[in-house]
Amino acid sequence: MKKYWFFVFIIFISFRSIGQQVSFLNDNKIYLDSLENVVKTNSSDSLRCLNSYKLSRFFLGTKKVKESKAYLDTANTLSRKSQFLTAVSQYYNAHRFLENNDIVGYEKALRSTYNALKKYNNRFAFRLRVVIIEEICIQLEQRNNEKESMQLLLKEAIPLAEKADAKEIMSDIYLGLAMTLMNRDLKIERQKARNYLKIAQDLIEKTTENSTTRERTKLTIYLTNAENETKLKQFNNAKVMLDKAFALLSKYPKSNMFNMYYFAEGVYYTDLNQHEKALLSYEKGIKSCLLLNDQFRINDLKNAQNDSYFALKKYKESKENLEYRIKHENFTLNRNQEYRKLARVYALLGDRKKACLFYEKHIVLNDSLNNSNFENEIVTLDAKFNKVENEKKISQLLAQKEKSELVAKNDKLKLLLLGLTAIILLISTVFFWKYYQNQKKLNTQKELNFKQELQTLESKQELAVSNALLEGEEVERKRLARDLHDGLGSMLSGIKLYMSKLSIDTVQNSPVIIENVNNQLDNSIKELRHIAQNMMPESLLKLGLEASLKDLCLKFNSNNLAVEFQYYPESNQILESKQIIIYRIVQELIHNVVKHAKASQILVSCSQSDSMFLITVEDNGVGFDSKKSNLFDGMGLKNIKNRVEFMKGKLDIDSQSQKGSVFNIELNIAN
Amino acid sequence: MNKPIKIVIVDDHPIVIEGITMLFSNSNDFEIVASFTKGLDFLKYSLINQVDIILLDVFLPDVNGIDLCKTIKQEYPKIVVLGMSSQSERSLVIQFIQNGASGYLLKNASLQEFYDCVKKAMAGEIVFSNEVKIIIGQPETSDFKKLPTLTTREKEILTLLSKGKTTQDIADELFLSFLTIQTHRRNILNKLGVKNVAELINLAIKERLL
């Protein structure tokens, strides 16, 4: 693999004129002459400048450093006159970084040139930009960043080449892509590479551009294709390609690219297991290299040759081959391999001593290589560690940032939530307030209605009570009329009869008659007094409720009936109209007891608080059923009930047969 | 022969004045010096200092006879006042006597009764016509009873109080208002002449009211 990579690397570099040796098909003299001619004779400074740069680069490729430097200086002086040329100069001067092994600076310079050239829409700028991309890609590939390299080529370089309408350059790019893919030596990628190579081949074969490098590129494509087909075991295709390459090469017998052809042919034969033929090819390649004094390629070819020796078990030749290479090898890594192989060859040849010697050399070199590898690894690891640390820091910072962002977000969310809650609260408060107001209104309305209803009811009740009272009064009047008519009336009628008898009769009987009349008059007066007192007791008007009630009780007090009267007044004066009603109630109650109860004791207790008048009348008489429904049918109790209701009071009757009766009455005396 | 007793009659009914004047007209011991239908007119009588006795109707249109009696006795203590009425209510009679009257007559009293009462009153006695005597003679229960009787409800409340119930408890139990029970409570204390419930319970136990 490694070996192959070198091969690719060399080719790659070679045609891009950056590597140590520039490949050429023809004598470059024509190309050089034309450029030098322009530099010397052309009146345009910019053309002279550009050509000077090209010459500088050419001489760098052919290792003529002095000439290269001279032309570079010339070009630099010329370039100062134009911005475009200044930008171009950056590219040609960037190579200095490579001389100082400053790869980073080199890449930086390339990229800044690339950006500076973006402004210019001429074909030269486009081409230069493609070249710059290709060089950046080489750097990327050396860092094993093939993916990015391919991306750059596909997305930047190809469109640019299209713009520049440079088929050869495009072909070159596709070739580069194919080589990158082949680098990994995987079948799938080689197949992809085959597609790219086909495009590259098509493009280069179709191009009509007159270019010094066209044929060279074509050859490189053929050889690369042959190589790829060989590795894909498509030997027929490979052979076609090799033939095409040979046909092309034969036009340029002085070319230094024969060795490449022979190398490819050798590989082709090796893979076909035709080692004798392969050896022949390699030998031809080496010869051609010796002519051009290209040690680098000789090593390559010899390396490939050695495998064939091994395959043919030509150990002696292999030994000589390896010893030659050890002598001429510059790469320690390769030399290490060679020591090992040589040790093996000696072992196979039976020279154990030499085998041991070279094996030891291999081990020593290997150890030192490993050490350096180890150191490199340590450095790499250190770098990695640092990178990881940095990444860790970055991730920490990121996490912190995220955290703070989260906190901020949370805060925001909280605030939002708070705000929302506040708004909801406000709304609900307003809602409830409104609701409350409405309810209040409704309640007030209801209350008003209720009050009105109550008032209506009350007035109805009052009306009913008043009616009842009026009715009661009517009944009272009837009784009074009967009393007057039956009692007083009849007595007065009697007196009148006596008196008429007196006027007619003789005077003899007059004393008796007068006596009778006198008695009758006495009775009449008593009757009248009785009636009047019943109607309205004088003491009530003159001395108040207590005195009149006391008189009332005393009037009924006798040997057979003890009437106890208790009165606990308060300073509040009761309206006379109410006093009369109270008096009537008590009067009626006592009348009832006297009339019906056959009691021996009556207790009349009256008391007064702020707005309340309590009447209790108890007796020990025969009692009645206070629960019966027609209790208030009789005139007496009905009157009492009406009067109590009129006074907005309560009537409570408790009586059982043979257990006396209790009347508790509460009256409202508030004015 | 003594000077006749000078009598003034105050009554709103002229016919009563006439009747009584007629009643005394045949006697030399009595002289009706003046008569008034209004109480306040009497107080303006010029010869009021010479009046010995006044027959005063209790019910007058302008002034209460009972109050007038008091005024007369305060200003002219020498004048003997006899109440006179067609009504015979005990409290009226008692109040009259308390205001300084020397007696109380019913208007339908006989001639003899009038004579006797006036004479006895002039002699300093307290006099009543026969019917009034009967009314006055009625015993007043509280007069000789030591403790007033408690009503059934009051007894209930007393029992509950003795069990330590509050006024509200009792109101709830008897389905009565707080105010009613409060009034009853006060009445019980008043009736039994005690100051508080403790004293009440003490008395109730002593008198076996519980």
Side-chain angles (χ1 to χ4, degrees):
Chain A
M1 174 64 211
K2 216 137 230 177
K3 176 186 74 184
Y4 184 70
W5 186 84
F6 273 112
F7 167 73
V8 171
F9 186 58
I10 290 156
I11 296 175
F12 208 63
I13 285 171
S14 65
F15 74 86
R16 256 159 254 217
S17 55
I18 295 163
Q20 272 82 4
Q21 193 103 27
V22 169
S23 307
F24 55 91
L25 285 171
N26 215 333
D27 204 341
N28 289 308
K29 208 159 168 23
I30 304 161
Y31 176 63
L32 273 174
D33 285 350
S34 73
L35 290 176
E36 279 177 338
N37 198 30
V38 170
V39 171
K40 278 172 188 160
T41 59
N42 204 296
S43 54
S44 160
D45 277 351
S46 46
L47 269 180
R48 277 163 63 201
C49 171
L50 287 176
N51 283 323
S52 298
Y53 276 129
K54 280 181 186 168
L55 279 168
S56 156
R57 180 50 52 94
F58 178 82
F59 285 120
L60 191 69
T62 48
K63 294 211 167 181
K64 289 174 179 167
V65 181
K66 225 172 164 184
E67 286 91 335
S68 165
K69 187 95 174 118
Y71 276 113
L72 189 66
D73 289 344
T74 320
N76 281 343
T77 17
L78 287 167
S79 74
R80 281 180 207 130
K81 289 173 182 170
S82 126
Q83 277 193 342
F84 172 62
L85 290 175
T86 317
V88 173
S89 78
Q90 278 184 42
Y91 165 67
Y92 287 102
N93 287 304
H95 202 266
R96 256 185 318 189
F97 289 106
L98 263 192
E99 281 163 20
N100 298 329
N101 269 333
D102 184 1
I103 292 171
V104 180
Y106 174 61
E107 208 179 315
K108 229 176 178 175
L110 287 178
R111 285 186 192 270
S112 82
T113 314
Y114 181 81
N115 289 329
L117 284 170
K118 274 184 184 170
K119 287 191 278 187
Y120 303 101
N121 283 323
N122 59 57
R123 287 180 68 188
F124 187 83
F126 291 146
R127 275 161 192 265
L128 198 57
R129 275 166 73 193
V130 174
V131 171
I132 291 169
I133 288 173
E134 281 175 336
E135 290 189 17
I136 291 171
C137 287
I138 290 165
Q139 295 306 317
L140 287 171
E141 273 163 43
Q142 283 193 355
R143 291 202 303 269
N144 287 335
N145 205 342
E146 282 144 10
K147 211 172 162 187
E148 200 186 327
S149 153
M150 285 180 76
Q151 291 277 339
L152 260 173
L153 286 173
L154 281 168
K155 297 211 170 137
E156 302 263 356
I158 290 176
L160 271 172
E162 272 173 354
K163 268 193 207 166
D165 193 23
K167 286 209 173 79
E168 191 197 331
I169 290 178
M170 254 161 88
S171 157
D172 198 32
I173 295 164
Y174 280 114
L175 176 64
L177 283 168
M179 283 180 172
T180 312
L181 286 168
M182 283 160 69
N183 222 0
R184 306 260 306 263
D185 200 12
L186 289 172
K187 203 182 171 192
I188 292 175
E189 305 213 329
R190 276 185 184 281
Q191 275 163 354
K192 277 189 200 161
R194 175 194 273 168
N195 293 335
Y196 284 135
L197 282 168
K198 197 169 179 296
I199 297 168
Q201 195 182 329
D202 284 353
L203 282 165
I204 201 73
E205 279 173 355
K206 274 178 195 160
T207 186
T208 50
E209 273 176 273
N210 194 10
S211 158
T212 48
T213 52
R214 189 185 59 178
E215 295 296 287
R216 194 179 67 193
T217 310
K218 202 190 273 178
L219 180 67
T220 317
I221 290 168
Y222 289 150
L223 289 175
T224 315
N225 216 339
E227 156 77 25
N228 198 36
E229 293 298 326
T230 307
K231 290 294 168 190
L232 282 169
K233 311 269 182 221
Q234 300 293 324
F235 297 111
N236 290 340
N237 293 346
K239 186 68 186 155
V240 170
M241 284 300 139
L242 283 172
D243 289 348
K244 273 190 173 181
F246 194 75
L248 188 64
L249 260 176
S250 11
K251 290 181 197 165
Y252 306 97
K254 284 181 184 173
S255 167
N256 67 349
M257 290 176 79
F258 276 100
N259 60 70
M260 286 186 205
Y261 168 75
Y262 287 123
F263 186 93
E265 195 185 49
V267 173
Y268 167 72
Y269 285 127
T270 309
D271 280 21
L272 269 174
N273 271 330
Q274 296 178 2
H275 293 291
E276 295 286 357
K277 280 187 179 174
L279 281 174
L280 219 64
S281 298
Y282 292 137
E283 209 54 55
K284 280 179 189 169
I286 291 165
K287 256 182 207 160
S288 121
C289 281
L290 283 169
L291 276 173
L292 296 161
N293 199 18
D294 190 348
Q295 189 60 49
F296 194 75
R297 298 271 166 80
I298 291 174
N299 284 347
D300 249 9
L301 284 159
K302 288 246 175 196
N303 186 26
Q305 196 183 23
N306 192 33
D307 290 351
S308 291
Y309 284 136
F310 243 86
L312 291 169
K313 300 193 176 170
K314 292 185 172 178
Y315 299 124
K316 218 173 156 191
E317 285 85 346
S318 172
K319 186 195 84 179
E320 277 163 12
N321 174 303
L322 286 166
E323 277 170 345
Y324 174 86
R325 272 169 59 207
I326 288 165
K327 214 172 168 183
H328 293 92
E329 185 61 79
N330 292 322
F331 287 102
T332 323
L333 203 69
N334 287 354
R335 201 185 302 156
N336 184 30
Q337 292 298 321
E338 281 148 16
Y339 281 137
R340 192 176 56 82
K341 280 180 185 170
L342 198 57
R344 204 166 143 220
V345 169
Y346 275 117
L348 287 166
L349 285 171
D351 191 343
R352 284 181 183 275
K353 213 174 158 187
K354 285 222 167 156
C356 276
L357 181 78
F358 280 104
Y359 207 74
E360 214 168 291
K361 275 189 179 179
H362 161 68
I363 287 169
V364 171
L365 194 60
N366 200 32
D367 279 359
S368 80
L369 268 175
N370 276 351
N371 271 345
S372 72
N373 268 353
F374 185 62
E375 272 164 23
N376 273 343
E377 256 169 46
I378 284 178
V379 170
T380 321
L381 272 175
D382 207 39
K384 255 189 193 169
F385 177 75
N386 280 339
K387 204 179 158 196
V388 167
E389 279 289 287
N390 280 339
E391 270 171 8
K392 214 166 140 190
K393 264 185 200 163
I394 287 168
S395 69
Q396 265 176 355
L397 282 172
L398 277 177
Q400 251 174 17
K401 199 183 155 198
E402 241 169 62
K403 210 174 156 188
S404 63
E405 265 171 13
L406 203 79
V407 168
K409 214 173 158 190
N410 272 352
D411 280 355
K412 226 173 164 183
L413 215 77
K414 269 183 202 164
L415 264 170
L416 203 79
L417 213 75
L418 211 76
L420 224 72
T421 318
I423 289 167
I424 288 171
L425 218 74
L426 196 80
I427 291 169
S428 51
T429 310
V430 168
F431 178 76
F432 275 115
W433 188 70
K434 283 256 173 198
Y435 181 76
Y436 174 73
Q437 287 283 34
N438 276 349
Q439 204 64 19
K440 213 168 138 189
K441 251 189 217 167
L442 217 74
N443 277 345
T444 324
Q445 194 61 40
K446 263 188 193 170
E447 211 174 313
L448 222 74
N449 285 348
F450 189 67
K451 264 186 189 166
Q452 265 174 0
E453 222 168 275
L454 213 72
Q455 264 174 0
T456 323
L457 261 169
E458 253 174 30
S459 56
K460 263 188 197 170
Q461 178 87 5
E462 264 170 30
L463 202 71
V465 170
S466 309
N467 280 343
L469 277 181
L470 276 175
E471 207 179 300
E473 239 165 69
E474 274 322 301
V475 172
E476 197 71 24
R477 277 185 194 150
K478 256 187 219 164
R479 202 182 72 191
L480 195 66
R482 205 176 52 233
D483 279 359
L484 285 173
H485 187 262
D486 294 358
L488 197 61
S490 57
M491 271 185 235
L492 288 175
S493 300
I495 290 169
K496 184 169 163 49
L497 284 174
Y498 276 119
M499 289 305 279
S500 49
K501 198 184 174 189
L502 189 66
S503 61
I504 298 161
D505 254 7
T506 48
V507 192
Q508 280 180 331
N509 294 331
S510 56
V512 184
I513 291 168
I514 287 168
E515 182 64 33
N516 276 343
V517 168
N518 216 353
N519 282 341
Q520 275 298 32
L521 275 172
D522 242 1
N523 286 338
S524 299
I525 291 166
K526 272 185 197 164
E527 182 67 23
L528 180 70
R529 188 156 59 222
H530 182 71
I531 292 166
Q533 195 154 23
N534 250 343
M535 280 174 77
M536 180 60 67
E538 284 294 333
S539 57
L540 180 62
L541 300 177
K542 299 292 173 206
L543 297 172
L545 188 60
E546 186 181 357
S548 61
L549 285 175
K550 203 172 177 182
D551 284 342
L552 185 70
C553 291
L554 281 174
K555 205 173 89 185
F556 289 104
N557 208 12
S558 67
N559 290 335
N560 299 325
L561 180 63
V563 184
E564 187 177 345
F565 175 68
Q566 301 164 351
Y567 192 86
Y568 301 96
E570 215 169 64
S571 51
N572 281 7
Q573 201 54 49
I574 307 169
L575 280 179
E576 197 169 76
S577 60
K578 288 187 176 170
Q579 287 187 22
I580 292 169
I581 295 172
I582 293 169
Y583 180 84
R584 291 278 178 235
I585 291 169
V586 178
Q587 191 183 30
E588 195 70 53
L589 283 170
I590 297 174
H591 267 293
N592 275 344
V593 176
V594 172
K595 251 200 230 161
H596 307 295
K598 294 173 190 142
S600 61
Q601 281 179 342
I602 304 177
L603 173 61
V604 179
S605 178
C606 295
S607 58
Q608 182 192 344
S609 74
D610 282 346
S611 58
M612 193 198 293
F613 196 89
L614 293 178
I615 302 168
T616 305
V617 175
E618 293 183 19
D619 69 72
N620 61 348
V622 291
F624 54 94
D625 183 9
S626 61
K627 303 273 188 299
K628 68 180 178 187
S629 54
N630 59 348
L631 189 63
F632 296 104
D633 283 1
M635 207 57 225
L637 272 180
K638 200 177 179 181
N639 277 341
I640 292 168
K641 193 175 171 239
N642 284 337
R643 287 188 171 114
V644 169
E645 275 169 13
F646 186 73
M647 295 277 281
K648 298 191 178 74
K650 280 184 231 161
L651 170 62
D652 177 33
I653 304 169
D654 183 20
S655 179
Q656 282 173 14
S657 192
Q658 304 305 326
K659 293 227 170 129
S661 57
V662 177
F663 290 82
N664 278 309
I665 295 167
E666 266 177 43
L667 299 173
N668 184 4
I669 52 165
N671 297 327
Chain B
M1 185 70 211
N2 289 337
K3 266 186 1 187
I5 297 165
K6 287 179 179 165
I7 299 173
V8 170
I9 303 168
V10 181
D11 197 306
D12 58 335
H13 297 295
I15 193 155
V16 174
I17 296 174
E18 222 170 279
I20 295 172
T21 311
M22 200 181 71
L23 213 63
F24 285 102
S25 61
N26 293 334
S27 170
N28 293 325
D29 301 334
F30 308 103
E31 186 190 355
I32 307 294
V33 292
S35 60
F36 304 93
T37 53
K38 287 182 179 167
L40 295 175
D41 288 351
F42 169 69
L43 292 176
K44 293 173 195 159
Y45 179 48
S46 53
L47 301 172
I48 195 165
N49 288 324
Q50 298 173 13
V51 174
D52 293 314
I53 193 161
I54 173 171
L55 296 175
L56 178 62
D57 189 1
V58 177
F59 305 107
L60 293 168
D62 58 341
V63 70
N64 190 343
I66 299 168
D67 296 337
L68 186 61
C69 167
K70 199 172 183 179
T71 316
I72 293 166
K73 286 307 279 187
Q74 276 167 354
E75 291 183 20
Y76 314 101
K78 281 188 192 161
I79 299 176
V80 174
V81 182
L82 284 182
M84 192 173 65
S85 167
S86 54
Q87 304 272 350
S88 60
E89 282 153 290
R90 191 178 194 271
S91 57
L92 277 177
V93 177
I94 304 282
Q95 190 63 50
F96 225 76
I97 301 300
Q98 275 172 357
N99 282 1
S102 301
Y104 196 93
L105 306 169
L106 278 178
K107 285 178 192 167
N108 64 341
S110 63
L111 182 67
Q112 199 54 52
E113 269 181 283
F114 267 103
Y115 279 179
D116 289 348
C117 284
V118 171
K119 279 187 176 166
K120 280 179 183 166
M122 284 305 290
E125 280 185 46
I126 301 288
V127 293
F128 298 108
S129 66
N130 292 335
E131 241 180 283
V132 177
K133 274 182 194 164
I134 295 165
I135 294 166
I136 297 294
Q138 276 177 343
E140 208 174 323
T141 334
S142 58
D143 288 350
F144 48 85
K145 217 178 168 190
K146 195 185 162 197
L147 281 175
T149 316
L150 293 181
T151 65
T152 312
R153 174 137 300 157
E154 283 163 353
K155 278 179 200 159
E156 276 175 345
I157 292 166
L158 177 60
T159 312
L160 290 169
L161 277 175
S162 75
K163 285 176 184 165
K165 297 276 169 77
T166 65
T167 305
Q168 188 61 58
D169 290 341
I170 297 167
D172 293 343
E173 200 156 315
L174 298 181
F175 305 108
L176 291 168
S177 78
F178 183 83
L179 195 66
T180 308
I181 301 297
Q182 211 179 31
T183 310
H184 278 303
R185 245 181 92 155
R186 211 189 50 223
N187 288 346
I188 298 169
L189 296 181
N190 278 344
K191 270 188 190 180
L192 301 180
V194 290
K195 288 196 283 291
N196 52 39
V197 178
E199 236 180 288
L200 170 70
I201 301 299
N202 197 18
L203 182 75
I205 291 165
K206 214 160 73 185
E207 298 290 332
R208 296 176 194 281
L209 290 172
L210 284 173

